[in-house]
Amino acid sequence: MLAQAATADVAPANPKRPGLSALARFWPFIEPAKWRFIGAVVFSLVSTLSGLVIPLVTQHIIDGPIAHRHFSALWWPTLLVFGLGALDALGVWLRRLIVARPSSQLEITLRAKLFAKLQSLSIGVHDGWDSGQLLSRAVQDMSTLRRFSAFAAPFLVINTITIAVGIVVMLFLSWPLGLVVVICSIPVLFICKNFQQKYRIVSRLAQDQTGDAATIVEESVQGIRILKAFGRSGHLGRRFIRQVATLRGTELKKVHNEATLWALISGIPAIAIGLILAIGTWSITADRMTAGTVVAAITMATFLQWPTISLGFLLAELNNAGTAADRYWEIIDAPVDIQNPATPRTLPVPVSGRLEFRGTTFTFPDGSAPVLRDVALSIEPGETVALVGVTGSGKTALTTLVPRLYDVTGGSIAIDGVDIRDLDLTELRSVVTVAFEEPILFSASVRENVSLGAPTATESEIRQALDLAQATDFVEGLPWGLDTRVGEQGMSLSGGQRQRLALARAVLGTPRIMVLDDPLSALDVNTEAKVQAGLKAVLRESTTLLVAHRPSTAALADRVALLDGGTIAAVGTHEELLASSARYRYVMGSVHV
Ligand SMILES: Nc1ncnc2c1ncn2[C@@H]1O[C@H](COP(=O)(O)OP(=O)(O)OP(=O)(O)O)[C@@H](O)[C@H]1O
C-alpha cells in the first residue's frame, strides 16, 4: 500500500537516461528533509570555498608585506588563514552531522516500501524473481543509495560549484591564466560524458551478477541437507566460484574504466599547472604579472586539482546509485496483479461459508496450457470435501486460488455467492485459512507462529488449536513451551511437528473456510488417527477443502471430488467412488479403509 502510494506521486522513468531519471524519482522521499540536504551542501561549500580564499591571501602577502618588506602587516593575513582553517573544519563537521539522519532515514523508508511492495505482489510475480536478486536489492542497493545521498550527491554539487567559482576567480586574477584552466576543462567534460555511458552498462551487470551470486548462496544454505546427503556441495561450490569469477571480471572492467578516467582527469590539471607555470614565469620576466599573482594562480590550480580528480569517483558513484535506483523502481513499478477491487462487496453477516467453483479455469503465469479447466464444484456451509487426484493433477493449484494467491484465468470462485475478486483481500483472507503440505514456520515463538492469522487469539484458543493438532505434548516439552523460538533462527522441529503447528495455525479460531493441502502427510498412523478425531469436530463447524493423498484422509470428508485431467471427473462419498469409479480406485491404490 505504502509502495503504491509512493509510485503514484513520482514521475515515471525516462528510458533514454535510465539511471538519472530513476534517481530523480526519489525527490518525494528527499523533499521533507530538503533543508537538511541543502544545509549540508551550503556548509560544505562554505568549507571548500574558504580554501579558495587562501591563494588570494598568499598573493596579497607576496605582493605586499614580502615585496615591500613590511612584515608588521603580516598579522592579519595570518589570522585570516587561521580563521579560514577553522571555518573549513566547522563546515566538514556540520555537513556530516546534519546529513547522517535524513540519509539513513531515506534508506529505511526505501527498504520499508520495497518490503511492502514485495508483500503486495502476487505469488505469480514472485515466481519470476530470484530470491538473491531481491536480497541484493533490499540490502546492497539501498546502502548504495544511502551513501550516494549522504556523500556523492552533495559533493557532485559542491565540487562542480567549486570548480566553476575557482575558474571565475582565476579569470579575475589573470584572464590568460584563467583561460588556460577553461581550455583544460573542456576535455574533462567530454571524458566524463564518455565514461558515464560505458560505466552505466558495466555497473548494471555487476549489480545483477551480485544478485545471482546471492541466489546461489541462499539456495545452498536452504538446501544444505540435500547437498550434503547427495555429496553435491562441491558442485554448488564450483557454480558459486564460477559466478563470483564472472562478477570479478565485471568488477575488473569497472576498475579499468575508473582507472582510465582517473588517469585522464588527473593528468589534465597537471598540464594546466605546467602551462600556468610557464606562462606565469614568462609574464613575470616581461613585467606583465606580479610574482604574487602567479603563485596565487598556481595555488588555485593546485587547489582545484582534487575537486576535478574526485569527479571520477563521484561519477562512478552516481552510476552505481543510478543502477541501484533502476533496480529499485523495477520492483516498485511491477504491476500489482492481485488487487483490492475499487468498491469491494461485503459478505453477508453472518458468513455461512458456501464455497463455489464456477467453471474455474487456471493457467500459471509462466505456463502454456491450463492446469485447471472448467472446474465446477460447490461445497456447502460446514461441509468437508476431499480433493483427490494423481500427482500433478492441479490439486495444490486449486487450493491457492481460494485465498487469491493466484487469480483464476477463467470462470470464478464465490463465497456465499460473492465473487472472491469483489471482496476486500483482508476480509477474504480472514474468512479463509490455509495449511500447505510444506509447512512454513517463521523465526518466532510457537505462539506467534500459531496465531499468525489471528493475532488477537487468546491463550486458551491457541491451546485448543494445539490440542486439536495433537501438538500440545511436544510444545510443552520445548524449553520455553509456547514461547520457544522455532523456525530458521530457533529450535529445529521434525516435519510432522512443523505440520501440526501449521495445522493448529489453520484451525485457530475455527475459520469459516479452511483449505488444507494434505495436512497430515508427515504424521505417523497413530498421530494421524488422533488428529483426525480432533479435526472432525472442527470440520463440522467450517467449510473445508481438504487435499487428500491417503484413503484415511479422504474418509474424513463428507464428499470426495476426483480431479482428473484438470477438471472434476467425479463427486461422491469415499465409499460411492470406491464402488463406482475405477479411476478413483486407481488413485487411492485400490485399498479399502
Ligand atoms: N509455479 C508454477 N508455474 C508453472 N507450473 C506449475 C507451477 N506450480 C506447479 N506447476 C505445474 O502445475 C501442475 C499442477 O501442479 P500441482 O502442484 O497443483 O499438482 P498437485 O496435484 O498438487 O500435485 P501433488 O499431488 O504432487 O502435490 C503440475 O504439472 C506442475 O508442474
Side-chain angles (χ1 to χ4, degrees), residues 127 364 366-367 371 390-397 406 437 549:
D127 286 346
F364 277 104
D366 55 351
V371 178
V390 291
T391 179
S393 56
K395 301 181 293 296
T396 299
Y406 292 97
E437 191 175 2
H549 282 104

Side-chain angles (χ1 to χ4, degrees), residues 111 114 118 130-144 204 206-215 218 324 327-328 331:
R111 281 201 175 127
L114 192 72
L118 289 175
D130 282 343
S131 50
Q133 286 292 353
L134 297 180
L135 202 68
S136 74
R137 284 167 206 235
V139 179
Q140 194 193 10
D141 288 357
M142 296 304 101
S143 300
T144 304
R204 171 75 206 216
Q207 268 152 290
D208 285 348
Q209 287 170 350
T210 307
D212 291 340
T215 301
E218 217 242 330
R327 282 161 48 95
Y328 176 80
I331 295 180

